[in-house]
Amino acid sequence: MKNISTYYSSRDWLPWSVIALTVAVCLLSVMAVNVPLAIIMTALFVMIEVGAFLSTYYVISGDELKVHSSFRVTTYPIAAIREIKPTNSWLAAPAASLSNRIAVTFTRESGLNRSIPLIISPSRQAEFIRRLQSINPEIDVKVPEKSVCLVLKKVDS
């Protein structure tokens, strides 16, 4: 039996700002023409967006990383991961956070045809990275461990 771990995408202000912008645009653009239509359109778009943000998660199953985003599942071989590092990229990605993102870079030999890294935001990031490294110890990690940050804070105080 495969050892399966699930990590949901962390969430910050991004989902709420997208939803607020959608509500404002829908209500303001259609309200003057047809109020019931504006309310129905707004509710529909908000339900779709909430569903998209809540259904973003990552599964490590055997030697594969599966990224679930809305109705799409993409599988990546963990053996092909070359590097993991923090990123502040605003690229569209299967991540419901802008402040807690990591960029996963794959080897050129993997055949994935990816010129840009996979950007994700697992909520238990340190555990997620340790789990990937337990499968592929060759991964170069440039993300500081949270435990290291906690130790540094205790020393400084």
Side-chain angles (χ1 to χ4, degrees):
M1 183 173 169
K2 291 183 180 180
N3 189 1
I4 298 173
S5 302
T6 301
Y7 301 88
Y8 289 91
S9 181
S10 64
R11 294 174 190 88
D12 55 13
W13 56 269
L14 175 68
W16 307 115
S17 62
V18 169
I19 291 168
L21 180 65
T22 300
V23 169
V25 168
C26 286
L27 289 178
L28 292 175
S29 64
V30 185
M31 188 74 82
V33 178
N34 189 339
V35 174
L37 178 64
I39 293 170
I40 291 169
M41 260 182 41
T42 302
L44 179 66
F45 283 125
V46 167
M47 286 189 308
I48 290 170
E49 289 173 350
V50 168
F53 285 122
L54 293 179
S55 67
T56 301
Y57 62 99
Y58 320 103
V59 176
I60 299 174
S61 176
D63 60 351
E64 295 177 332
L65 170 61
K66 296 180 181 179
V67 177
H68 296 255
S69 181
S70 297
F71 303 107
R72 184 175 179 205
V73 179
T74 310
T75 303
Y76 302 93
I78 295 173
I81 298 175
R82 180 178 48 128
E83 178 184 75
I84 298 174
K85 64 182 179 181
T87 184
N88 292 324
S89 173
W90 282 58
L91 285 175
S97 168
L98 281 177
S99 61
N100 193 29
R101 289 181 165 197
I102 56 175
V104 179
T105 307
F106 296 91
T107 60
R108 294 187 190 271
E109 300 80 33
S110 66
L112 289 174
N113 254 352
R114 292 190 63 90
S115 58
I116 59 172
L118 169 66
I119 298 174
I120 55 177
S121 63
S123 58
R124 299 181 328 262
Q125 198 174 89
E127 179 186 327
F128 177 81
I129 293 169
R130 279 194 304 272
R131 179 84 169 89
L132 289 175
Q133 281 187 306
S134 72
I135 298 167
N136 178 3
E138 299 297 316
I139 298 173
D140 181 20
V141 177
K142 297 186 175 169
V143 178
E145 291 282 336
K146 288 190 178 187
S147 59
V148 172
C149 295
L150 292 174
V151 169
L152 290 175
K153 286 181 184 177
K154 287 181 183 177
V155 171
D156 290 340
S157 6

